[in-house]
Amino acid sequence: MEKHPGSLCINPHEVYSLRMLRSREKMERENMEEHNQSKKRLRVCVATCNRADYSKLAPIMFGIKSHPEDFELEVVVLGSHLIDDYGNTFRMIEQDDFDIGSKLHTIVRGEDEAAMVESVGLALVKLPDVLQRLRPDILVVHGDRFDALALATAAALMNIRILHLEGGEVSGTIDDSIRHAISKLAHYHACCTRMAEQHLIAMCEDHCRILLAGCPSYDKLLSTHHREDYMDIIKSWLGDKVQERDYIVALQHPVTTDIQHSIKIYGLMLDALLSFNKKTLILFPNIDAGSKEMVRVMRKKGIEQHPNFRAVKHIPFEQFIQLVCHAGCMIGNSSCGVREAGAFGTPVINLGTRQTGRETGENVLHVRDADTQNKIYHALELQFGKRYPCSKIYGDGNAVPRILKFLRTIDLDEPLQKTFCFPPVKDPISQDIDHILETQSALAIDLGGTNLRVAIVCMRGKVVKKYTQPNPKTFEARMHLILKMCTDAMRDAVCLNCRILGVGVSTGGRVNPQEGVVLHSTKLIQEWSSVDLRTPISDALHLPVWVDNDGNCAALAERKFGHGKGVENFVTVITGTGIGGGIIHHNELVHGSTFCAAELGHIMVSLDGPDCSCGSHGCIEAYASGMALQKEAKRLHDEDLLKVEGMDMKLSEPITAAHLISAARMGNSKADAILNKASTALGVGIINILHIVNPSLVILSGVLASYYQAPVQRIISERALLSAQSIKVVTSDLEEPALLGAASMVLDYATRRIY
């Protein structure tokens, strides 16, 4: 083709490539527009009912509002927010620059049980119209209030997904039932603690729909409680003369399951605070049934006019946390005391049962049975002005980012049907004022061949009081005496300020400790085989009961109170009327498959030795027990070979092992030979124990222990394997090993009181 001068030459291939590039760019733009159109913002409705739940919901609301590309926020306000008597707290939501989509007046006044029910019903009547209009993808509801139950019920019935905050917690009142009911209605959960997460799992909630986030209020309080102007806030609420940590914050709510009792506690708290004579900021109770009566009690006592008190209906959360942070103490039953206050280490006194079961830091002292003004006053003396380590049980300040991330992962196409599982859950443990004022103790019983002994033994191993009676010969008389002595001891324990946690029984013979049954007894205790000790004692005293062999109890006593404390492997050998003992291996008592382990007295050290009480021959007990030595002493005495010059022995006194030992020490060669044989038999038996279980310590107990200690140590060093020769033999320092061992079963294994 002829080219004209000045004309543009275009390559057809370049034209094609250019067209394809433009076409591809157009398709990409269209795809991007389609993607942006298809990416639907999550429509989140946050419903708040009162000042308390708003402090938890506000940080989430701010987080949602700060991400308009991901979320669309709708706010519904109901409940006590809209009541003048409770501060019209909806205004603080407006001050935080949130648009309130709906205000629902749902509270029926009356502040009694019926009014609460009517309020739930009124909310259920009004909510459907609001939820139909807003059509949220997910409703965020908090806690355990009756208003929140109405919200969750309406949303669940309208197939609106629910995110429940702070589910899985335990507090011990009707709030528990409401909270768990909301958890069962909710589809997603943001909980505060690991234990709450485990509770939700145990309640059959799908683990994949549970977020361990922490408490949202911690995000704010951990970042803002170190304010420089905190003294200005304190003085604005309590006056110019008040000092940091020299005032009290009081906040007590009704317990709707026991209104009259909670009103009584409220009055006792006010009396204690009046007597304590410290500046006190007291907040009005919430709107639960019983609140009117509590306000009447407050006004009857003149609290609002008292110079030490400042009574207020509402304090903004940012200022309230400053007041709690720098208080000398917080008292009442608000969840703030057991939750947020722990982040500051503020000492807290929790009154009554409203927060029973809550996880707490060590800053919380529970006064469950706040039945006297003096008890509450004593708690104030213990707590006021203290400072505890800061606790982050309920959050680390990063709950909101976790919740927002969790919301972004919600698949709206996912079915709402739940799956179920039933894992085990651990119980919470908390301290209690009664545990401080009373001494935790055990009731210990020792069934000997001669005497029946009962003792009150405290946690430190001190025998507070002991009772001794001759051991009856018949089963019926023995059981009757045991129960009578225990009942007397229980009555005395109250006067001695001892809280009995349980009963431990030490008895001779073979015992099944799992069932609390004496299988076979020694010959010294008649009619004492196949005896269930646990059931009658537990039924009579309403306490847990542990039963074990007296030798095992001696080992347990050494493990808790004696030379065995902190020793992982040791053996206790009782050298008394008989020979017994117990074996501690890896810190646990060895019982054996048929509960006859550690029958140390019946280890055979000779094939043709003297007869033993067990029916065999050559046992350690046949050589070294008090009975065996007494038998030999009588033989020498009958042959006129026992007494030596200078030995004082009255004709009327019975011959015992002590006479044999005394004669040997004064040069009686025959007595010395008998004792050498006994010591050798005991030493060889203990060597057998060393070679079998390889303990690191041997503890000799009983009346003959001090005599046998040196010979047994010498025999071990001469005859044991080289690896066992260095094992030490010591004598017990415990005066009452059987009683202390029986007590140790209770003090080590009794469940702590949980309310």
Side-chain angles (χ1 to χ4, degrees), residues 120-418:
V120 172
L122 182 58
L124 286 172
V125 169
K126 292 187 174 184
L127 278 167
D129 288 341
V130 173
L131 294 176
Q132 277 185 331
R133 176 171 55 81
L134 297 178
R135 295 190 179 279
D137 296 316
I138 188 161
L139 173 73
V140 179
V141 61
H142 167 271
D144 49 28
R145 305 289 302 144
F146 58 85
D147 325 69
L149 179 60
L151 283 161
T153 302
L157 291 172
M158 296 177 70
N159 289 323
I160 297 170
R161 296 167 188 267
I162 303 165
L163 171 62
H164 183 208
L165 303 180
E166 297 186 9
E169 296 182 17
V170 178
S171 61
T173 66
I174 190 65
D175 293 352
D176 271 349
S177 299
I178 295 174
R179 187 187 311 109
H180 300 333
I182 296 171
S183 291
K184 299 313 298 176
L185 292 168
H187 307 94
Y188 305 95
H189 310 273
C191 59
C192 297
T193 69
R194 182 71 64 185
M195 187 175 290
E197 179 188 37
Q198 291 301 311
H199 288 164
L200 286 168
I201 293 170
M203 289 163 60
C204 318
E205 297 303 303
D206 186 350
H207 199 173
C208 297
R209 294 187 174 192
I210 301 171
L211 171 68
L212 178 55
C215 183
S217 66
Y218 270 53
D219 289 25
K220 199 165 191 178
L221 65 90
L222 289 176
S223 63
T224 62
H225 81 277
H226 293 295
R227 284 176 51 167
E228 295 180 358
D229 63 342
Y230 69 89
M231 280 306 302
D232 294 335
I233 294 172
I234 293 171
K235 289 178 179 180
S236 70
W237 290 99
L238 287 158
D240 292 336
K241 294 182 180 180
V242 72
Q243 297 297 316
E244 180 182 6
R245 299 184 186 177
D246 196 36
Y247 63 91
I248 297 169
V249 175
L251 179 53
Q252 179 90 353
H253 299 304
V255 177
T256 56
T257 49
D258 196 352
I259 294 173
Q260 292 307 312
H261 185 62
S262 65
I263 294 169
K264 178 185 175 183
I265 292 176
Y266 188 65
L268 293 172
M269 178 191 76
L270 295 177
D271 290 337
L273 288 169
L274 287 165
S275 300
F276 201 67
N277 199 30
K278 288 289 181 182
K279 280 284 186 181
T280 301
L281 179 69
I282 184 164
L283 279 81
F284 277 62
N286 65 18
I287 202 168
D288 283 350
S291 60
K292 267 189 176 179
E293 288 83 353
M294 292 176 78
V295 172
R296 287 194 192 102
V297 170
M298 182 173 69
R299 286 174 174 160
K300 187 176 180 181
K301 294 181 183 291
I303 295 298
E304 290 173 293
Q305 290 76 41
H306 196 283
N308 271 354
F309 286 81
R310 174 77 189 279
V312 298
K313 294 179 179 178
H314 169 67
I315 301 174
F317 181 71
E318 295 84 350
Q319 297 182 41
F320 183 64
I321 61 175
Q322 298 298 315
L323 292 162
V324 172
C325 175
H326 299 284
C329 179
M330 185 174 183
I331 188 170
N333 63 5
S334 168
S335 62
C336 177
V338 299
R339 296 167 64 95
E340 282 86 353
F344 315 128
T346 301
V348 172
I349 299 166
N350 179 49
L351 302 177
T353 60
R354 190 170 183 266
Q355 302 299 337
T356 295
R358 289 273 195 196
E359 296 174 73
T360 70
E362 59 183 288
N363 65 309
V364 178
L365 174 62
H366 296 290
V367 188
R368 308 287 189 204
D369 301 321
D371 49 1
T372 65
Q373 175 188 337
N374 287 340
K375 188 178 283 188
I376 300 173
Y377 187 90
H378 189 70
L380 283 165
E381 287 183 318
L382 288 171
Q383 288 287 77
F384 186 80
K386 274 189 178 181
R387 224 60 198 168
Y388 290 90
C390 296
S391 166
K392 293 186 179 179
I393 293 174
Y394 286 95
D396 60 1
N398 296 295
V400 172
R402 294 189 185 105
I403 292 171
L404 296 182
K405 184 178 178 181
F406 187 61
L407 286 170
R408 290 187 186 99
T409 64
I410 291 176
D411 182 1
L412 297 179
D413 295 325
E414 184 183 37
L416 297 180
Q417 183 61 48
K418 296 181 177 182

Side-chain angles (χ1 to χ4, degrees), residues 558-573:
E558 294 293 341
R559 183 182 72 175
K560 187 166 184 65
F561 304 113
H563 292 299
K565 193 171 184 178
V567 180
E568 189 175 3
N569 301 288
F570 69 90
V571 172
T572 297
V573 181

